[in-house]
Amino acid sequence: MSDLRVHHLNCAHVTAMSIGGLPLACHVLLIETPSDGLVLVDSGLGTADYAAIASRLGFAFARLYARPTVAPALAAIHQVRALGHRPEDVRHIVQTHLDLDHVGGLSDFPWAAVHVHADELAAATDRRGVKARGRYRPAMWAHGPDFTTYAEEDGEAWFGFSAVRALAGLPEQILLIHCVAIPTVTAASPSTASPDGSSTPVTPSSTTVNYRCDLR
């Protein structure tokens, strides 16, 4: 059995977008590990976003098509404290991708190692095209995160996925999955899963939840 404890956090309430009639949340996972501290999967909107929501997220996202509620208590750092943990114990952040609603909380944990697919980091820093310039907001990683990147070719085939691999410094139960079936996300974007002893994925990323990408 897995010795990881997983908390599901909602780090934003997006009022103007919905799936199946339900408003979107910025789904973040907080994973307690036995010896590697706390791990976040995605970081949602952070304190800097809630303090200056239009400038950080862009006017269109903040005021027009998404309109997240300004609720600073939803920032992951506050929820970590509310669960009785120290923010400094968040040692790793696994970013499924770097879209603005998944990455804003990075700056609240500047000491954490950040794990991300190499092609996704390249897409975020290049920001080619109008859509990419809206999705990727350089201010969210302007503090210079400690990125560790992973290439698809370094992974192994697993349960029908083309590339799955372990993450540096993290327990073997936490895997990085290359998933290309997610709309609006770059083809190289990873998802994250934590398998139990039978290798069954039990922790889908926020991307797989939002877009109903089944892990079977």
Side-chain angles (χ1 to χ4, degrees), residues 123-168:
T125 52
D126 290 347
R127 301 178 76 217
R128 295 181 182 176
V130 174
K131 182 179 290 187
R133 288 192 291 274
R135 289 172 53 191
Y136 300 125
R137 309 288 292 183
M140 294 181 173
W141 52 85
H143 61 286
D146 178 19
F147 284 117
T148 298
T149 59
Y150 302 86
E152 179 186 3
E153 56 267 23
D154 294 335
E156 301 178 3
W158 183 72
F159 283 85
F161 291 98
S162 62
V164 177
R165 60 156 299 150
L167 296 164

Side-chain angles (χ1 to χ4, degrees), residues 45-87:
L45 299 188
T47 57
D49 302 313
Y50 286 115
I53 199 158
S55 61
R56 283 271 291 188
L57 303 179
F59 181 83
F61 186 93
R63 305 300 188 202
L64 298 178
Y65 69 87
R67 298 200 300 276
T69 301
V70 180
L74 293 180
I77 192 169
H78 296 315
Q79 297 194 58
V80 167
R81 289 194 183 103
L83 288 167
H85 299 294
R86 299 168 61 246

Side-chain angles (χ1 to χ4, degrees), residues 23-101:
L24 290 186
C26 287
H27 184 210
V28 172
L29 302 180
L30 175 66
I31 305 174
E32 299 180 31
T33 73
S35 58
D36 299 296
L38 302 176
V39 181
L40 287 176
V41 179
D42 284 340
S43 52
L45 299 188
T47 57
D49 302 313
Y50 286 115
I53 199 158
S55 61
R56 283 271 291 188
L57 303 179
F59 181 83
F61 186 93
R63 305 300 188 202
L64 298 178
Y65 69 87
R67 298 200 300 276
T69 301
V70 180
L74 293 180
I77 192 169
H78 296 315
Q79 297 194 58
V80 167
R81 289 194 183 103
L83 288 167
H85 299 294
R86 299 168 61 246
E88 293 78 11
D89 290 334
V90 176
R91 300 182 191 171
H92 299 269
I93 300 175
V94 183
Q95 286 292 155
T96 63
H97 54 298
L98 298 173
D99 281 43
L100 73 169
D101 55 333

